Amino acid sequence: MQSKIPIGILGATGIVGQRFVQMLEHHPWFEVAWLAASDRSEGRTYAEAVRWRLRTAIPERVAKMTVSPAKPEGAPKVIFAALDAAIAAELEPRFAEAGCAVVSNSSALRMAPDVPLVIPEVNAGHIKLIETQAWRKKSGGFVVTNPNCSAIGLVLALAPLEQHFGLETVMAVTMQAVSGAGYPGVASLDILGNVIPYIAKEEEKMEEETLKLLGRLNGSRVLPGNFTVSAQCNRVAVEDGHTESVSVRLRKKASAEEIQSAWRTFTAEPQKLRLPSAPDQPVMYVDAADRPQPRFDAERGAGMTTTVGRLRPCKVLEWKFTVLSHNTIRGAAGAALLNAELLKAQGCLG
Ligand SMILES: NC(=O)c1ccc[n+]([C@@H]2O[C@H](COP(=O)([O-])OP(=O)(O)OC[C@H]3O[C@@H](n4cnc5c(N)ncnc54)[C@H](OP(=O)(O)O)[C@@H]3O)[C@@H](O)[C@H]2O)c1
């Protein structure tokens, strides 16, 4: 039997770091070998350092591991990073420079022209951008990123529409779960019985990342998608799962049946390659009039399937519908894990 690839997790004690630990417990290719967080956690066992927020138990082997300093010395060559953007901006380049493959969740480097921003079902070919990175040429290291947790659900729903009919205009209003703000996140007194109509920098991220993800790789740069996007983001008192009300104008006329069929038949590279974390169906359309709902639909496809429903005509644009995706799985740890599986399948993990 082939041995597994050792993985390091930067930001292992946070909400996304915990999802990494959970999702890697029985992974067929990867194994947690190193954990790092802030100096608050350094030197403690993982069980002591973490405020574990998931319903499954901390894997026993990981619970006993000691949290290392967040430095590349002694770290494995494949790093899953779940750090706040300001810290990621400083640490991720340091790990890439030291020869590590950094698979990042943070927004710090997502829009850098030489850093691939990837959803394997949508733009797997953009991974090639790593070959243009200075780190890659010098030490073999590189950085690959996955999108913001709201952009990913939106783009998975839009990609089949762009493929079949072309997009002209997109408007999205989000209702985002509290786990999206990390731990401890939003104070309970601010969010209980309330809606907060502002999430710092979220609307900008959704708008620019959507265009990069649905853009075209042209040599060493990505030409952004040729459509307009407007996003409005709200925080709501839901634990997990971001819901989005979306309206679109398409370039080609399409019937409701044709649009639903584009979603239902959407399949791509990860499904063909049978990557371990790829859902059978990346996008699922549900017919029930009152779905999708976070409570019932966020965990479809082990949290990796984006659920779409309520397709109907829009009097302002052309069509409107509802999108739901799990923010800490498809929107964070699962997205990075699928990127790492794609990198391995493409021979980029050594
Ligand atoms: N939550 C989501 O749904 C979601 C979705 C997509 C993307 N993201 C992105 O993923 C990243 C992590 O988010 P999160 O929700 O997991 O945040 P979080 O719960 O606040 O966790 C932050 C992690 O970073 C560590 N850390 C803090 N300062 C550090 C330092 N100076 N050096 C090294 N490690 C440090 C923390 O360690 P200590 O425990 O030791 O303080 C903790 O492990 C963010 O960039 C976020 O925007 C989050």
Side-chain angles (χ1 to χ4, degrees), residues 6-285:
I7 295 289
I9 305 175
L10 261 177
T13 48
I15 286 288
V16 177
Q18 293 178 34
R19 276 286 176 204
F20 275 130
V21 169
Q22 184 192 50
M23 294 188 79
L24 286 165
E25 187 177 5
H26 302 293
H27 197 278
W29 299 351
F30 304 133
E31 165 171 82
V32 177
W34 180 90
L35 305 164
S38 74
D39 45 16
R40 180 193 71 80
S41 305
E42 190 187 316
R44 302 165 82 189
T45 65
Y46 186 67
E48 284 165 358
V50 74
R51 303 249 343 233
W52 188 256
R53 297 287 101 187
L54 300 177
R55 290 188 180 93
T56 54
I58 308 179
E60 223 174 290
R61 190 181 64 82
V62 176
K64 294 183 199 140
M65 287 171 66
T66 302
V67 178
S68 299
K71 295 184 181 141
E73 294 77 29
K77 288 292 178 211
V78 180
I79 299 291
F80 289 157
L83 298 167
D84 198 58
I87 299 152
E90 186 197 325
L91 289 187
E92 289 178 358
R94 224 185 273 168
F95 279 77
E97 189 146 349
C100 297
V102 179
V103 187
S104 163
N105 262 284
S106 118
S107 60
L109 299 171
R110 280 180 199 148
M111 294 307 293
D114 61 351
V115 172
L117 172 62
V118 176
I119 303 174
E121 283 94 341
V122 174
N123 62 338
H126 291 198
I127 288 277
K128 289 195 200 87
L129 271 182
I130 62 172
E131 302 306 339
T132 68
Q133 296 179 5
W135 308 302
R136 180 74 163 159
K137 291 175 191 155
K138 226 167 105 191
S139 66
F142 58 86
V143 177
V144 167
T145 60
N146 54 262
N148 162 275
C149 44
S150 289
I152 198 161
L154 177 67
V155 171
L156 276 160
L158 293 178
L161 307 186
E162 171 72 347
Q163 263 176 25
H164 289 266
F165 319 110
L167 293 164
E168 194 178 298
T169 308
V170 176
M171 296 189 73
V173 177
T174 70
M175 289 150 273
Q176 301 185 210
V178 284
S179 60
Y183 190 81
V186 191
S188 57
L189 272 181
D190 289 339
I191 195 69
L192 281 177
N194 201 14
V195 170
I196 301 173
Y198 174 69
I199 305 174
K201 297 197 192 133
E202 198 79 354
E203 294 171 353
E204 293 86 341
K205 287 181 199 167
M206 277 188 78
E207 292 171 1
E208 60 187 16
E209 292 177 18
T210 297
L211 294 177
K212 182 169 180 181
L213 288 156
L214 289 170
R216 193 167 51 82
L217 185 65
N218 183 10
S220 59
R221 56 193 282 251
V222 175
L223 303 176
N226 182 24
F227 56 94
T228 47
V229 189
S230 170
Q232 301 186 60
C233 298
N234 304 285
R235 184 78 68 200
V236 297
V238 165
E239 190 183 344
D240 289 316
H242 291 351
T243 307
E244 305 177 33
S245 295
V246 184
S247 298
V248 294
R249 181 179 291 127
L250 303 173
R251 292 193 182 275
K252 251 170 63 181
K253 280 271 163 255
S255 67
E257 292 69 30
E258 287 168 328
I259 293 173
Q260 288 174 19
S261 161
W263 283 321
R264 286 187 166 125
T265 56
F266 180 61
T267 175
E269 199 76 358
Q271 286 70 35
K272 260 184 251 144
L273 293 169
R274 297 186 163 278
L275 299 181
S277 304
D280 292 341
Q281 240 185 303
V283 181
M284 182 177 285
Y285 185 81

